[in-house]
Amino acid sequence: MRPEEPNKTVTSLEQAQKRLKWKKLFAKKWFFPAIYLVTAALILTIAWLYQEHGSRVTETNKPIPASLPKEKMPTNPTDDDMVLPTAKNSGAVKTMDFYDEAKSNKDREAALVDYANAFWPHAGIDFARKDGKSFEVVAALEGKVIRVEEHPVLGHQIEIKHESGISTVYQSLDDIRVKQGQIVKKGQVIGKAGRNLFEKEAGVHLHFEVRGRDQQAVNPAQYLPQTKQ
C-alpha cells in the first residue's frame, strides 16, 4: 500500500457519509413541500417588486394634461321655446294625455288606447276640435324633417329632428305640406289633422309626441306651454 492510500480512504468515507445525510434529508416528508413554498415565495416577491417598480415608472412617465377636455353642451330650446303643435285660433284642445305610471289609476286608465282587443299606453298628447273638424298642424320647434310617411295603422306621420337632439312626431295627419330633408321654422304649417286606425274612436285629431335622443317617448306636457305640469 502506498502512503497516500489511507487519505483517499478517509475522503471516500466522508463523501459517503455526506451522501447518506442528503439521502436522509430527501427522505423527509417535509423537504420537498418546504422547497416548493420557498420557491413560490421567492417568485411572488420578485413579481411584486417588478409590478411595483413598473407602476411607479408608469405614473412617473404619464403625461399631465394641460386641461380637462370640455364637452360641448348642446343647446336645449325645448324648455321655454316650444309652441303648441296646433295653429293659433285653430280651436283645437287637448283630448288625451300621455300615459304616466306616476299618475292615479283613473288618469292611467284614461290614457290607454283600445286597439286590436288590447290596451296600449298612450305615448303622446292628442288634440282635436269639439266639432270634429280638421285644423292646421304646425311645427312645435324649428328643425329638420327626417321622416314623412304613411303608416297603415298610425296614418300619415312626420318626424322633425331638433338641434338639442330630441325629435317631435306628428301622427294622424292629412294634407302633408313638407318633405323629408326640409328645414322648417317653429310655428310653420306642416299639415292638417286627420284620422288613423290606431285611435279610430278619436276621429279627426292630431297625435303629438316628443322623443328623446334614445327615441323613447317622453311626456310632451313638460315642454308645451299651457300644458306644463
Side-chain angles (χ1 to χ4, degrees), residues 46-75:
I46 294 173
W48 179 82
L49 290 174
Y50 177 80
Q51 183 178 4
E52 182 70 15
H53 176 70
S55 62
R56 289 181 181 178
V57 171
T58 302
E59 291 175 0
T60 303
N61 296 335
K62 186 177 181 180
I64 301 176
S67 60
L68 294 175
K70 295 181 179 180
E71 181 180 357
K72 183 180 179 181
M73 296 298 292
T75 57

Side-chain angles (χ1 to χ4, degrees), residues 46 83 147:
I46 294 173
V83 298
R147 182 160 56 101

Side-chain angles (χ1 to χ4, degrees), residues 96 99 108-122 198:
M96 194 171 192
Y99 182 88
R108 291 201 303 270
E109 289 177 5
L112 291 173
V113 179
D114 185 1
Y115 174 74
N117 297 320
F119 289 95
W120 304 77
H122 198 235
F198 185 64

Side-chain angles (χ1 to χ4, degrees), residues 193-212:
R195 300 174 182 269
N196 66 12
L197 292 178
F198 185 64
E199 295 181 86
K200 186 177 180 179
E201 299 300 324
V204 176
H205 73 286
L206 162 68
H207 174 82
F208 175 74
E209 295 184 11
V210 175
R211 297 180 182 176

